Amino acid sequence: MAQGHRVDTDAPGIDLGGWRRLVDGLREAVVVLDPDDTIALVNHAATELYPTLAPGLPLTAPGRRQALGDGWTACYLDDPATWDTAFLDEALRRLSAATDRAATLTAIVELGLAHLADQCAVIVPALRGRVEWWYGAKGAGEVVRGRTTRQSAGVVTGLLDVLDGVVRHAEFGRESTPDLPVDFGEPGSAHAVPLIIGGTSLGALVLVRRVPREPFTDVEVESIRRYGDHAARALEAAIRHGEQARVVEVLRADLLPSPLPEVPGALLAAAYHPAARRTEVGGDFYDVHVRQDGTATFVLGDVCGNGLEAAVHSGRVRRSLHTLLLVEQRPAQLLYLLNAALVAAGSKLFTTLVVGTIVQLDDGGLRLTVSSGGHPPPILLHAGGTVEEVVARGGIVGVLSDVRFQSTSVVVKPGETLLMYTDGITEARAESDREELFGEDRLQAVLRECTGLRAEAAVDTVRRAVFDWLGPSEHDDITLLAIQAAPTG
């Protein structure tokens, strides 16, 4: 705009009549401010966007300023809908990407600093009558967190009403507490809104604009309210996600294999690779239970399918076996009892498994008594490099009531190894040809190469051979359990 001519004695240095005719003809919202920063003119477009603006009042709307001369200023006002939509779109993108509580609270503060205020804090309830705050200020670096009592936060009049969701908005100023990092500044420079979901307040969002910047405009206060709604939804989702993650972690810990114990005269090793890599649990399982006399019971099994449903069922089988071991240790009888218990419980999934006992012999070897419930037979690696299957026939477990199980015993000499595995090993498909399986012959060939290796090295050799065969391809649950009679000398 070019400077006009003086025609109004009440407006030195500017022709208000000429400027009125000019700005009224513009589609863009424009106000003219006098040297005291008071509104002198408001065009029709500005009135439609901001009905409360009027000559003689201070400007309470954001916009781009241009000097007219002699201290007069034209201000091209921002369309509140356009500004608000762009900011909230960014807020939605940023907050939706934060899935845990800490990241969400940090993002809420950082977005508030970037678009709305010089200071931003989120105050949320904590345990034992305390509140937790997350705070950031422009130029202060990272968002920080701390805790204080509700009583200390209550020093700021009305803050607890916002925190509890009693009011939907509060304005502060000239109030502070040493237990909160927020400098509430001049009256009108601080605003707070509750973070409410379904009538429940999750906390309070506090935004502060430092002097000498202008107070929040009505449009900005409305934006704060809308941003608080988005922040509340994001925080509620993060809290819910965190609770679910904790539940899953507790359940997952119960479904993961227990650490292998020490068994007199034996070396144990295992590998466990579920198909569901994200949850790290599957339908395969193994356990070794040691008794006070030094003998032990071992089990390796495979529930039909994979993923969470199979993992839950495998946990049920493991707990059932653990309970049954209190009254029965003979492998075949254990399988009879387990099958009866699962059938009576209405089991929908079948399980194959190998159950056996370990007894140390006087010469340092081990006597293993083994029963199978429809599972691939274990492979015994002899000291000379030959291998043999240890066959004990039996039906699958958990579906039919009329099944039979047999037991067989084998002596494992010092340095010899019994390897048990699930069908994820033999049915692993080659990376180069998805129709070709790893197979039992290839497994036995790899096991022969483990002659003289300790149990842990033998398991690792087999595991690496299978994953080299698979490449990056998807696979079924893969589990190995090796029992070796401790080498002498």
Side-chain angles (χ1 to χ4, degrees):
M1 291 184 178
Q3 183 175 348
H5 300 284
R6 175 184 176 188
V7 295
D8 189 334
T9 57
D10 293 330
I14 190 169
D15 178 1
L16 278 181
W19 283 111
R20 181 178 292 109
R21 289 189 295 274
L22 177 59
V23 298
D24 276 346
L26 297 176
R27 292 184 178 180
E28 189 170 9
V30 181
V31 298
V32 176
L33 306 175
D34 66 18
D36 294 327
D37 225 24
T38 299
I39 297 175
L41 294 175
V42 184
N43 76 347
H44 294 307
T47 302
E48 290 180 358
L49 286 180
Y50 301 95
T52 60
L53 297 182
L57 298 177
L59 178 62
T60 59
R64 174 176 54 85
R65 298 193 174 208
Q66 180 175 335
L68 303 177
D70 292 334
W72 289 73
T73 306
C75 187
Y76 298 81
L77 303 183
D78 295 335
D79 184 336
T82 302
W83 178 86
D84 196 46
T85 299
F87 161 55
L88 292 176
D89 284 347
E90 180 186 349
L92 283 172
R93 288 192 299 272
R94 175 80 183 275
L95 292 175
S96 63
T99 56
D100 66 85
R101 179 176 177 272
T104 300
L105 288 165
T106 299
I108 292 171
V109 173
E110 290 177 345
L111 283 163
L113 293 175
H115 295 277
L116 296 171
D118 297 309
Q119 300 177 70
C120 182
V122 180
I123 302 173
V124 294
L127 298 175
R128 294 184 292 275
R130 300 175 70 82
V131 295
E132 180 182 358
W133 49 260
W134 295 68
Y135 170 79
K138 285 186 176 177
E142 296 181 352
V143 173
V144 295
R145 61 177 293 193
R147 290 192 176 189
T148 188
T149 63
R150 278 180 58 91
Q151 182 179 5
S152 295
V155 171
V156 181
T157 305
L159 180 56
L160 293 184
D161 287 339
V162 179
L163 182 63
D164 295 336
V166 176
V167 297
R168 299 305 301 265
H169 170 255
E171 182 178 302
F172 308 114
R174 298 191 186 280
E175 294 183 284
S176 63
T177 166
D179 295 316
L180 288 175
V182 185
D183 176 9
F184 288 92
E186 297 297 321
S189 65
H191 289 263
V193 294
L195 305 178
I196 292 181
I197 290 292
T200 300
S201 178
L202 305 178
L205 172 66
V206 180
L207 294 153
V208 180
R209 178 165 286 171
R210 292 188 187 131
V211 175
R213 289 187 60 185
E214 296 175 349
F216 289 101
T217 66
D218 293 341
V219 173
E220 290 171 323
V221 171
E222 181 60 28
S223 293
I224 291 172
R225 291 194 184 100
R226 294 180 65 186
Y227 177 51
D229 291 340
H230 287 302
R233 285 192 289 271
L235 181 57
E236 193 268 342
I239 292 172
R240 185 173 64 250
H241 181 272
E243 291 172 346
Q244 292 173 345
R246 285 190 291 274
V247 170
V248 169
E249 185 62 26
V250 170
L251 294 175
R252 190 177 69 87
D254 188 50
L255 297 176
L256 289 172
S258 302
L260 290 172
E262 292 187 2
V263 177
L267 300 179
L268 307 180
Y272 177 74
H273 298 279
R277 299 177 187 177
R278 182 177 179 182
T279 59
E280 297 182 358
V281 294
D284 287 5
F285 61 94
Y286 64 85
D287 277 309
V288 178
H289 302 277
V290 184
R291 290 182 282 274
Q292 291 184 346
D293 62 1
T295 63
T297 296
F298 61 87
V299 57
L300 177 138
D302 181 1
V303 172
C304 173
N306 51 51
L308 188 58
E309 183 182 11
V312 171
H313 191 71
S314 73
R316 186 179 300 118
V317 174
R318 291 173 65 197
R319 287 189 294 273
S320 296
L321 275 170
H322 186 74
T323 302
L324 293 172
L325 279 171
L326 297 175
V327 296
E328 181 62 72
Q329 288 82 44
R330 294 170 296 175
Q333 282 68 24
L334 266 176
L335 288 179
Y336 278 115
L337 292 174
L338 175 64
N339 184 72
L342 293 177
V343 170
S347 172
K348 298 289 192 298
L349 299 176
F350 69 80
T351 305
T352 69
L353 67 165
V354 175
V355 178
T357 56
I358 306 173
V359 178
Q360 185 179 19
L361 301 177
D362 293 338
D363 63 358
L366 303 173
R367 175 178 288 109
L368 305 183
T369 301
V370 179
S371 290
S372 175
H375 201 81
I379 305 173
L380 178 60
L381 173 62
H382 293 286
T386 60
V387 297
E388 69 169 305
E389 292 184 342
V390 179
V391 179
R393 303 190 184 283
I396 59 175
V397 175
V399 178
L400 303 174
S401 57
D402 186 17
V403 289
R404 296 289 182 267
F405 304 104
Q406 298 177 348
S407 292
T408 186
S409 294
V410 63
V411 172
V412 180
K413 298 177 181 179
E416 295 184 340
T417 303
L418 184 76
L419 180 71
M420 289 161 282
Y421 61 94
T422 58
D423 60 13
I425 296 283
T426 52
E427 295 179 5
R429 297 182 181 275
E431 179 185 9
S432 57
D433 182 358
R434 300 295 291 164
E435 298 299 319
E436 187 176 4
L437 304 181
F438 192 76
E440 296 176 3
D441 292 343
R442 189 171 281 104
L443 172 60
Q444 293 185 10
V446 173
L447 187 58
R448 290 188 192 97
E449 298 174 5
C450 299
T451 303
L453 296 180
R454 297 177 78 85
E456 186 173 350
V459 165
D460 189 57
T461 298
V462 175
R463 181 190 64 81
R464 284 188 288 107
V466 173
F467 279 97
D468 287 345
W469 174 263
L470 280 166
S473 304
E474 296 294 324
H475 60 81
D476 197 358
D477 296 335
I478 289 176
T479 304
L480 296 162
L481 175 64
I483 302 175
Q484 184 178 71
T488 57

